[in-house]
Amino acid sequence: MLSDIEISRAATLQPIQAIADKAGIPADAVEPYGRFKAKLTREHLPVPRDLGKLILVTAISPTPAGEGKSTTSVGLADALNRIGKKTMLALREPSLGPCFGTKGGATGGGYAQVVPMEDINLHFTGDFHAITSAHNLLAAMIDNHIHWGNALDIDVRRIGWRRVLDMNDRALRDIAQSLGGTANGFPRESGFDITVASEVMAILCLADDLEDLESRLGRIVVAYTRDKKPITAKDLKADGAMAVLLAEAIKPNLVQTLEGNPALVHGGPFANIAHGSNSVIATRTALGLADYVVTEAGFGADLGAEKFFDIKCRQADLKPSAAVIVATVRALKMNGGVAKADLGIEDVAAVTRGGVNLARHIENVRQFGVPAVIAINRFPTDTGAELTEVIAIAKAHGCEAVVCTHHANGGAGAEGLAKVVAELADTPSQFAPLYDDDLPLFDKINTVATRIYRAESATAEPSVLAQLEGWEDAGYGHLPVCMAKTQYSFSTDPAALGAPTGHSVPVREVRLAAGAGFVVAICGEIMTMPGLPRVPAAEEIRIGASGKIEGLF
């Protein structure tokens, strides 16, 4: 089979206005970025009479064997269109960090891709650069304010706003800044996070419009005074300039699938260190244009889906109609103890052992009152007996499972899934978030730890608990929590596969994201600035002799 980039390059793409016409988007709302991508101006979109049905694609816990959540999202959207359902896709933008690190690209795969894949995977329309610039402008204005007299009395020991870069770079996690003398400011310890972990990214993805964006930016708490009074971006008069840098980035991006169906690709917070779903603006735009909207949440359902339900849907008043849990035989065998090198060998018993992971995710999604179906993303090495076992595991937990071949066959390979999804989505769901707004912050953390991760409890040092109580006293107690932890396990130990129980979830740090509207709980050893793997994908990415990009997966 051809590589993803070869398949993408061989496709005949339609002009972006043709895709807009198909979606019912008037020409006045389309701002082309070349021939095959565009920004949309929402004020020129038609006012929707009815909103479409929102379908979330999530997955079992990720493994090196691969699950194919984005691929399934694209395949499902194409399949729904094939069976006569007017459908739009709403996905996140890929980060350069994992693109050059492990993934080598994140626009789907095989014959279920969004295109042009090189553009989307790399600089696209510049949204991430704008977010990086806005974030770092605020950092520069903090240091500049202190340098010129510090009228706000910022305590340099209590500055919480780090800089960001859209790259995996472990060397920047902890740095000493402002060295070289008084002209360069006050020396202090600081560091970098990856751009997709920035609160500015979260704000862009949760804002209702440009006015709400600027208001949220102004609420960002960047530091404290010596008497522990919070200092915000608005106090520093940075919110207006930051909004200016983001004025184009807040507009959703229109592209297409290989089968010529409309897709909005916009925003990209990580799901293990942020809330992991595309922008509210893009989702609402799609819901106003289509009868069905397929979106995804990052990593497994314990991370991406939980945050999608508890943060995004809570803030944006979205009511998902159905969920798709993507599973693969290979990933279940890894959860059952099989080494990656042996995944091609039939092992039904390993599928059974690893099935506890799938079962846990089914149970978790059900806690939100959303009906679910299992999409078995089929690999060529899967055997009939192994596939039958996955179907049986799903059935034992009250779920239908459908074998899909969208990677090899495009939308045609997911038509069976599309029929089940449409039926589920047309049945009213009983969606509700996991916890109430008025629950204390640490109780919210503990609720996620015990009900979603099946831990005995969450734990935290007295200083962390005191910080949470202080935020409650300051009026932030109503905010939801964003759990930052490893994506590979229900626990904070990435090696604990399957469905561990009886563990604890240590919360080593909490961060207030007042502008985004949530409190981040950093658990275990998770890093907000990832590192590159031993053999990064960047080693194989280059400009070939033909002048075209090579090495993107």
Side-chain angles (χ1 to χ4, degrees):
M1 186 171 175
L2 298 174
S3 68
D4 292 349
I5 195 167
E6 289 171 330
I7 292 170
S8 171
R9 205 167 271 154
T12 301
L13 276 60
Q14 298 180 39
I16 199 62
Q17 187 58 55
I19 300 299
D21 292 343
K22 184 174 184 178
I25 300 170
D28 287 348
V30 180
E31 297 180 353
Y33 273 61
R35 294 183 62 199
F36 305 120
K37 53 188 188 290
K39 286 280 188 184
L40 299 183
T41 54
R42 294 174 75 209
E43 59 268 25
H44 293 112
L45 292 174
V47 177
R49 287 174 294 179
D50 298 297
L51 294 180
K53 305 291 179 63
L54 184 59
I55 300 156
L56 174 70
V57 177
T58 183
I60 62 174
S61 301
T63 69
E67 288 68 51
K69 188 168 65 274
S70 298
T71 303
T72 301
S73 299
V74 179
L76 173 59
D78 283 338
L80 284 165
N81 278 301
R82 288 176 68 91
I83 65 171
K85 309 293 185 181
K86 186 178 181 182
T87 303
M88 284 191 74
L89 188 61
L91 300 178
R92 293 178 296 166
E93 301 176 45
S95 164
L96 292 178
C99 179
F100 289 111
T102 301
K103 287 188 173 182
T107 53
Y111 289 90
Q113 296 187 55
V114 284
V115 286
M117 72 94 80
E118 298 105 314
D119 291 7
I120 299 169
N121 275 315
L122 300 175
H123 302 289
F124 200 19
T125 57
D127 293 345
F128 281 24
H129 299 308
I131 291 163
T132 301
S133 296
H135 181 114
N136 291 337
L137 171 64
L138 178 55
M141 290 183 73
I142 295 168
D143 290 316
N144 187 65
H145 179 86
I146 295 168
H147 177 76
W148 291 107
N150 197 7
L152 292 171
D153 193 28
I154 294 172
D155 186 345
V156 293
R157 301 167 302 173
R158 293 189 173 96
I159 297 173
W161 194 253
R162 295 151 59 92
R163 286 165 169 79
V164 296
L165 181 72
D166 190 33
M167 193 58 61
N168 291 1
D169 193 345
R170 61 174 56 85
L172 295 178
R173 288 172 183 160
D174 296 288
I175 66 167
Q177 69 160 70
S178 304
L179 304 181
T182 56
N184 295 342
F186 290 82
R188 60 184 172 89
E189 292 184 1
S190 187
F192 278 73
D193 295 330
I194 191 167
T195 295
V196 288
S198 166
E199 185 178 352
V200 177
M201 172 68 81
I203 286 171
L204 182 100
C205 289
L206 291 169
D208 293 327
D209 50 34
L210 193 56
E211 182 180 4
D212 184 39
L213 174 77
E214 184 168 351
S215 177
R216 285 173 177 266
L217 292 170
R219 295 198 296 269
I220 295 172
V221 175
V222 298
Y224 293 86
T225 63
R226 288 183 178 271
D227 59 0
K228 299 183 180 179
K229 174 189 173 184
I231 300 296
T232 67
K234 190 174 183 66
D235 293 331
L236 289 160
K237 302 179 182 178
D239 48 333
M242 293 171 72
V244 167
L245 285 173
L246 298 170
E248 289 298 308
I250 198 173
K251 299 174 182 177
N253 305 300
L254 177 67
V255 289
Q256 62 190 286
T257 70
L258 284 174
E259 297 188 12
N261 292 310
L264 295 179
V265 179
H266 192 221
F270 267 9
N272 57 349
I273 50 183
H275 70 281
S277 50
N278 71 301
S279 75
V280 166
I281 287 177
T283 302
R284 283 183 175 157
T285 298
L287 286 169
L289 291 166
D291 297 327
Y292 299 83
V293 174
V294 177
T295 190
E296 70 165 357
F299 296 128
D302 58 315
L303 285 171
E306 185 271 318
K307 295 172 185 181
F308 178 84
F309 295 141
D310 279 329
I311 297 175
K312 179 174 179 176
C313 291
R314 184 193 304 264
Q315 288 202 24
D317 194 27
L318 298 173
K319 300 189 185 307
S321 298
V324 177
I325 303 173
V326 180
T328 64
V329 166
R330 291 164 57 85
L332 290 175
K333 287 197 287 190
M334 285 201 83
N335 272 286
V338 176
K340 186 176 181 181
D342 298 326
L343 291 175
I345 303 170
E346 183 180 80
D347 193 337
V348 177
V351 174
T352 305
R353 294 193 302 271
V356 297
N357 187 272
L358 173 59
R360 173 77 61 81
H361 286 294
I362 293 172
E363 293 165 2
N364 283 349
V365 170
R366 275 224 186 88
Q367 291 193 67
F368 294 93
V370 179
V373 59
I374 310 306
I376 306 175
N377 184 17
R378 184 169 191 174
F379 279 65
T381 55
D382 299 345
T383 69
E386 291 172 330
L387 294 168
T388 298
E389 179 59 14
V390 180
I391 293 170
I393 292 167
K395 185 177 180 181
H397 289 83
C399 258
E400 186 171 352
V402 182
V403 178
C404 306
T405 59
H406 43 274
H407 186 276
N409 304 115
E415 286 189 21
L417 175 66
K419 292 172 183 176
V420 175
V421 167
E423 184 176 346
L424 283 179
D426 290 341
T427 304
S429 76
Q430 304 300 315
F431 168 70
L434 193 66
Y435 49 78
D436 294 333
D437 290 345
D438 57 3
L439 199 66
L441 290 172
F442 189 74
D443 288 351
K444 292 173 182 175
I445 292 170
N446 201 54
T447 298
V448 177
T450 55
R451 292 182 59 182
I452 300 298
Y453 307 154
R454 302 302 200 280
E456 286 291 327
S457 66
T459 61
E461 293 293 325
S463 60
V464 170
L465 296 176
Q467 198 164 29
L468 292 173
E469 290 173 3
W471 289 337
E472 289 168 354
D473 293 341
Y476 298 113
H478 66 286
L479 298 181
V481 294
C482 180
M483 305 291 282
K485 77 168 193 69
T486 179
Q487 65 268 33
Y488 297 114
S489 173
F490 284 105
S491 74
T492 56
D493 176 5
L497 303 184
T501 58
H503 52 94
S504 67
V505 176
V507 179
R508 61 181 173 85
E509 180 187 349
V510 287
R511 298 181 183 179
L512 175 63
F518 54 72
V519 170
V520 182
I522 299 178
C523 307
E525 300 301 317
I526 192 67
M527 297 289 184
T528 51
M529 169 57 87
L532 292 171
R534 182 180 296 273
V535 182
E539 291 185 5
E540 300 300 323
I541 297 173
R542 58 178 52 83
I543 301 293
S546 64
K548 294 182 178 179
I549 295 170
E550 296 178 355
L552 287 175
F553 299 171

